[in-house]
Amino acid sequence: MRLTSQQHKALYQAMKAAAKRRKIKLSPQHDLYKKVDPYFYHAFW
C-alpha cells in the first residue's frame, strides 16, 4: 500500500511529534536516531 502525499505528510508530522517527546532526532529521509554514549541508535521507517 502506498501513501498519498497528504498521508505521508501527516505520518511525518506524527513521527516528528513522537520523536521530539522522546528526545530522538528525525530526518526528512525517514531516519530516527539518537546518540547515547557509547551507542548510536538508528531506525529507518
Side-chain angles (χ1 to χ4, degrees):
M1 180 176 121
R2 295 200 48 104
L3 298 176
T4 65
S5 178
Q6 191 175 28
Q7 289 171 322
H8 180 352
K9 288 178 185 176
L11 178 59
Y12 179 76
Q13 291 302 318
M15 291 295 286
K16 187 176 175 181
K20 186 175 183 177
R21 284 192 305 269
R22 292 167 178 81
K23 298 180 182 172
I24 299 172
K25 302 209 185 239
L26 173 69
S27 76
Q29 293 79 24
H30 303 174
D31 293 294
L32 293 164
Y33 57 95
K34 183 174 185 173
K35 184 170 186 201
V36 181
D37 284 331
Y39 302 104
F40 181 78
Y41 299 98
H42 175 257
F44 178 80
W45 59 279

